[in-house]
Amino acid sequence: MNKDVKVIKVKNLCKKFGDFTANNNLSFEVSKGEIFGFLGANGAGKTTAIKILCGLSYPTSGEISVAGFDVYKQREQLKRNIGYMSQKFSLYEDLTVFENIRFYGGIYGLSKEVIHRKADDLLKKLDLQHARNKRISSLPLGWKQKLAFSVAIFHDPEIVFLDEPTGGVDPVTRRQFWDLIYEASREGITIFVTTHYMDEAEYCDRVSIMVDGKIEALDTPAKLKEDFNAVDMDQVFLALARTATNVE
Amino acid sequence: MNRFIGFLKKEFYHIFRDKRSMLILFGMPIVQIMLFGYVINTDLKDVKMAVLDHSKDEYTAEIINKITSSGYFQLSNNLKSIEQADVIFRKGDVKLILVFEPDFGKKLVKNSKANVQILTDASDPNTANLEVSYLQGILQNYNVEINQDKQLPSSIQANSRMYFNANLESVFMFIPGIMATILMLVSAMMTSISIAREKELGTMEILLVSPLNPLQIILGKVTPYLALSFINALVIVGMGYFVFGVPVLGSFTLLMAESVLFIFLALSIGIFISTVAKSQQVAMMLSMFVLMLPTIILSGFIFPIRNMPVPLQVISYIIPPKYFIVILKNIMLKGVGLEYVWKETLILLAMTFGFIGLSLKKFKIRLQ
Ligand SMILES: Nc1ncnc2c1ncn2[C@@H]1O[C@H](COP(=O)(O)OP(=O)(O)OP(=O)(O)O)[C@@H](O)[C@H]1O
Ligand SMILES: [Mg+2]
């Protein structure tokens, strides 16, 4: 991690849907290569913020730059330099593993040779060579998730945004998934991840905890536990969640 | 460009691997064309008729009176010569012309035999046949009447002839209808479902986060359907021509150009539907009830528009396929050129821009 280079800079981000404030004055920075956990209960506003950082929707106000690009004016460049794994599973079930890789590589403008070479490496790494020509629909969920993550970083983005990437996956697969995240982080990719699992929060370099659209805590897991006098992140989270008003 | 080809490839995989899509694409047109014959026409009402009376005597006047008071027919023109028939049929309002031979009444009295000819608009042969049999019934009744009342052992000889094409079969008017339905189905319904699917599955977000811009995404989604619809149009016209002998009397190029225009319109409607619908289900329902049913019922494909209740007739004016079907009938069966269908063409064009505009507006709002 390089603490001097800030790849995400957010200052006073606000997002309103009518009268409802989904993101209330968020400010934070994320360093290059950092694994940044973005926590919050259901409806806290995590997905809303991620969509703004990815250039999928405009903020109501605030200064935001991602990978050095302004979210208002430089969306094109911004999009080239990020990867995104949405809360919904996002590979095409009716295409094969390789067809999915080729398609996503293709829309990021990678050449045929590069796609083939990287796809081979990737399948070897995930131990999925045998499934290369199998439809996604025939794979178990854990494999799909790992593949979806690998596809999201296939074009070597600077930052990858993961919105609850491990939802519904068993603990063993989650562990393997985090191995992939660590590996990507070692290669210098910044990870911005939301999760509901508090054990996963422990794996992050720093976490922010959002309650009702506001960031109520932001630090390393160790520091947060100390501050809240808690044995684990679960307790930290519960302490903060108690202050929430619009719990679903 | 490579990116775009990659995108198209993916779209074709989606289509070719989906049984339902394949069925709609290739099964529907063929089944529909084969089924045409079983569709039964409804009753006649106020069919506009012109009369060319070379005789102008009490008998012809009485016959005309009988016909117009039947409720099925309505006299709209009195012609002076047979040359006018061409013009009047091309205009499209008048569906049949009654021609009384010279000295009709005299011949009926003296020779006990007189001729009347019924000319019908052949571009709508189903209805034409029906009209002829109704007319013959009326003439027959009249014959019986004068036989009894006036003690005339006369017989009125009515022979009918289809105008524009002497031996037309009823399949002819179905080809334009099938064409409109299939193109609507493939272009509008399948596109809207396919875009809604990406939204529902969440892949649309991934596409929007990628360097592809929304225009490229939309083009990538609709191009395959444009191509497939065009092929379908060719198949339908081809099947009509080779299997049923349906002619293309007008310009084939114009026919295809109008089809492409209609495909564009249908695609823009499909895009618009997908901006409203969040799921495949909703897109499907919207397409079914807002597009397909009106296309089939109101476009004059199965039920002649002039037989419908007035409110439905009014609604039929906002149904795009109605205009397309009029254009097709004119080009294919009447052999006329753009000078006769420019109005309908302009309406389709305006509707296309209208829907594209609406979709763009909707899309901008969504980004906010
Ligand atoms: N387009 C929208 N219009 C109106 N309200 C919205 C819109 N999108 C999100 N919201 C509201 O904003 C709030 C935050 O939603 P968001 O999806 O960001 O939560 P989240 O933290 O991602 O929750 P989850 O853990 O369930 O994914 C919710 O109350 C949601 O109903
Ligand atoms: Mg969310």
Side-chain angles (χ1 to χ4, degrees):
Chain A
M1 185 191 341
N2 187 338
K3 289 206 164 144
D4 299 334
V5 186
K6 304 292 182 195
V7 287
I8 302 177
K9 290 187 223 165
V10 175
K11 220 170 133 190
N12 306 328
L13 161 62
C14 286
K15 176 72 179 183
K16 291 189 174 146
F17 296 111
D19 290 339
F20 178 73
T21 306
N23 287 160
N24 191 350
N25 222 18
L26 309 185
S27 295
F28 58 88
E29 293 186 335
V30 179
S31 309
K32 186 170 170 53
E34 187 174 17
I35 301 177
F36 189 83
F38 200 60
L39 313 190
N42 281 330
K46 304 178 297 286
T47 301
T48 305
I50 281 201
K51 283 189 178 172
I52 292 169
L53 296 178
C54 290
L56 273 177
S57 74
Y58 284 113
T60 310
S61 64
E63 284 168 46
I64 301 122
S65 91
V66 173
F69 300 107
D70 187 85
V71 297
Y72 296 94
K73 292 177 215 135
Q74 298 171 299
R75 291 161 85 99
E76 291 311 306
Q77 295 103 307
L78 187 158
K79 286 177 176 183
R80 267 174 218 288
N81 289 287
I82 60 165
Y84 173 55
M85 190 173 161
S86 80
Q87 205 166 346
K88 287 181 187 167
F89 177 69
S90 54
L91 296 175
Y92 293 100
E93 300 266 349
D94 56 342
L95 301 189
T96 66
V97 170
F98 180 68
E99 283 162 357
N100 268 288
I101 296 174
R102 186 177 59 189
F103 172 69
Y104 283 116
I107 59 177
Y108 281 90
L110 302 186
S111 73
K112 219 172 161 181
E113 296 73 44
V114 173
I115 291 174
H116 273 268
R117 182 170 47 73
K118 292 195 71 172
D120 288 342
D121 293 348
L122 174 64
L123 293 176
K124 205 182 285 170
K125 187 175 87 186
L126 296 180
D127 206 10
L128 269 177
Q129 283 134 310
H130 62 283
R132 181 189 168 99
N133 295 320
K134 284 211 178 106
R135 303 252 175 109
I136 295 291
S137 53
S138 68
L139 299 185
L141 181 65
W143 282 3
K144 290 188 200 174
Q145 299 289 64
K146 283 189 265 180
L147 193 62
F149 173 73
S150 307
V151 166
I153 58 167
F154 195 72
H155 58 289
D156 299 318
E158 277 201 48
I159 307 161
V160 64
F161 293 90
L162 310 172
D163 198 357
E164 288 181 38
T166 52
V169 179
D170 65 275
V172 177
T173 316
R174 262 167 54 204
R175 184 62 245 183
Q176 292 170 346
F177 193 92
W178 273 88
D179 287 339
L180 289 177
I181 292 183
Y182 278 129
E183 192 185 319
S185 161
R186 272 199 303 278
E187 285 165 13
I189 298 179
T190 307
I191 316 279
F192 189 100
V193 57
T194 79
T195 178
H196 274 157
Y197 301 108
M198 283 309 130
D199 57 325
E200 291 187 348
E202 311 265 3
Y203 305 151
C204 299
D205 294 322
R206 278 191 312 150
V207 297
S208 85
I209 299 178
M210 202 151 75
V211 180
D212 292 347
K214 273 200 193 116
I215 293 182
E216 295 292 354
L218 198 172
D219 218 317
T220 61
K223 185 76 185 1
L224 285 176
K225 280 184 280 190
E226 196 185 307
D227 288 354
F228 284 82
N229 216 349
V231 291
D232 56 17
M233 284 304 291
D234 230 3
Q235 287 189 353
V236 175
F237 192 76
L238 283 175
L240 281 167
R242 245 174 252 132
T243 65
T245 52
N246 65 347
V247 196
E248 279 170 40
Chain B
M1 202 56 213
N2 268 339
R3 267 196 236 170
F4 191 64
I5 290 171
F7 203 114
L8 290 187
K9 243 192 219 164
K10 155 194 164 277
E11 288 305 318
F12 277 112
Y13 285 145
H14 288 325
I15 297 167
F16 290 143
R17 285 176 189 175
D18 182 38
K19 284 201 191 82
R20 199 178 51 184
S21 301
M22 291 302 280
L23 205 67
I24 292 178
L25 271 175
F26 299 105
M28 286 280 281
I30 295 169
V31 170
Q32 281 213 4
I33 293 177
M34 293 304 179
L35 276 180
F36 69 91
Y38 299 104
V39 183
I40 300 149
N41 242 307
T42 43
D43 282 344
L44 296 183
K45 201 171 149 260
D46 291 334
V47 176
K48 289 219 172 76
M49 167 184 92
V51 170
L52 173 55
D53 192 348
H54 290 300
S55 180
K56 294 218 170 70
D57 54 52
E58 53 175 308
Y59 291 97
T60 62
E62 218 170 19
I63 291 174
I64 293 168
N65 187 17
K66 275 255 155 18
I67 293 173
T68 51
S69 62
S70 70
Y72 302 124
F73 303 96
Q74 191 188 343
L75 181 62
S76 79
N77 299 58
N78 273 304
L79 306 187
K80 300 218 159 48
S81 75
I82 193 69
E83 277 72 46
Q84 287 175 280
D86 208 51
V87 182
I88 210 145
F89 274 138
R90 274 173 204 245
K91 269 196 197 147
D93 280 350
V94 170
K95 295 296 165 190
L96 83 173
I97 304 175
L98 214 55
V99 187
F100 292 100
E101 65 174 336
D103 300 327
F104 182 90
K106 270 186 210 152
K107 283 182 186 164
L108 198 62
V109 177
K110 273 194 192 146
N111 312 349
S112 305
K113 213 168 99 183
N115 283 315
V116 54
Q117 193 180 35
I118 306 164
L119 295 178
T120 51
D121 182 354
S123 56
D124 204 349
N126 256 14
T127 323
N129 283 332
L130 204 64
E131 288 158 1
V132 169
S133 58
Y134 271 63
L135 264 181
Q136 278 174 335
I138 295 170
L139 290 170
Q140 190 67 43
N141 279 345
Y142 180 73
N143 216 2
V144 172
E145 251 173 55
I146 53 173
N147 285 352
Q148 288 170 351
D149 297 355
K150 304 191 176 161
Q151 299 297 321
L152 272 175
S154 64
S155 78
I156 297 170
Q157 314 274 317
N159 60 67
S160 67
R161 189 161 71 81
M162 295 246 181
Y163 210 78
F164 293 131
N165 191 323
N167 47 7
L168 213 54
E169 289 165 54
S170 65
V171 58
F172 287 17
M173 78 163 266
F174 286 93
I175 295 294
I178 290 172
M179 186 109 145
T181 318
I182 295 291
L183 296 190
M184 204 50 148
L185 198 68
V186 172
S187 306
M189 182 160 144
M190 291 181 72
T191 323
S192 68
I193 292 177
S194 135
I195 297 176
R197 190 172 89 135
E198 301 245 12
K199 281 211 244 171
E200 189 180 324
L201 296 181
T203 45
M204 189 52 108
E205 280 190 352
I206 306 294
L207 297 179
L208 286 168
V209 165
S210 81
L212 293 174
N213 63 43
L215 185 69
Q216 287 172 313
I217 296 172
I218 292 299
L219 280 181
K221 295 291 306 176
V222 303
T223 308
Y225 292 102
L226 173 66
L228 292 169
S229 297
F230 189 73
I231 292 174
N232 259 324
L234 288 176
V235 167
I236 294 168
V237 173
M239 258 182 87
Y241 186 82
F242 292 108
V243 182
F244 298 104
V246 182
V248 179
L249 298 180
S251 150
F252 182 74
T253 316
L254 179 62
L255 182 71
M256 284 301 131
E258 295 279 2
S259 302
V260 171
L261 170 61
F262 184 68
I263 294 171
F264 273 116
L265 170 57
L267 289 175
S268 60
I269 295 176
I271 293 169
F272 177 68
I273 288 181
S274 68
T275 62
V276 186
K278 282 201 173 65
S279 71
Q280 296 180 77
Q281 278 288 331
V282 177
M284 173 110 139
M285 287 300 172
L286 274 177
S287 309
M288 270 314 218
F289 293 108
V290 182
L291 291 181
M292 295 320 295
L293 282 185
T295 301
I296 293 169
I297 296 172
L298 294 178
S299 59
F301 161 28
I302 295 176
F303 312 105
I305 289 174
R306 67 188 123 83
N307 290 350
M308 287 181 208
V310 176
L312 281 185
Q313 287 195 27
V314 173
I315 295 176
S316 80
Y317 280 96
I318 57 166
I319 307 290
K322 173 196 149 96
Y323 300 99
F324 182 54
I325 290 175
V326 170
I327 292 173
L328 288 181
K329 280 190 187 176
N330 274 296
I331 298 175
M332 290 178 75
L333 306 176
K334 294 191 182 175
V336 297
L338 193 57
E339 65 274 17
Y340 283 90
V341 293
W342 63 270
K343 254 191 256 161
E344 284 81 6
T345 308
L346 275 185
I347 291 173
L348 292 186
L349 212 57
M351 284 177 161
T352 309
F353 283 115
F355 278 108
I356 291 176
L358 278 177
S359 310
L360 280 178
K361 212 170 139 192
K362 200 90 192 138
F363 186 76
K364 286 219 177 88
I365 292 171
R366 208 162 54 78
L367 269 188
Q368 292 306 312

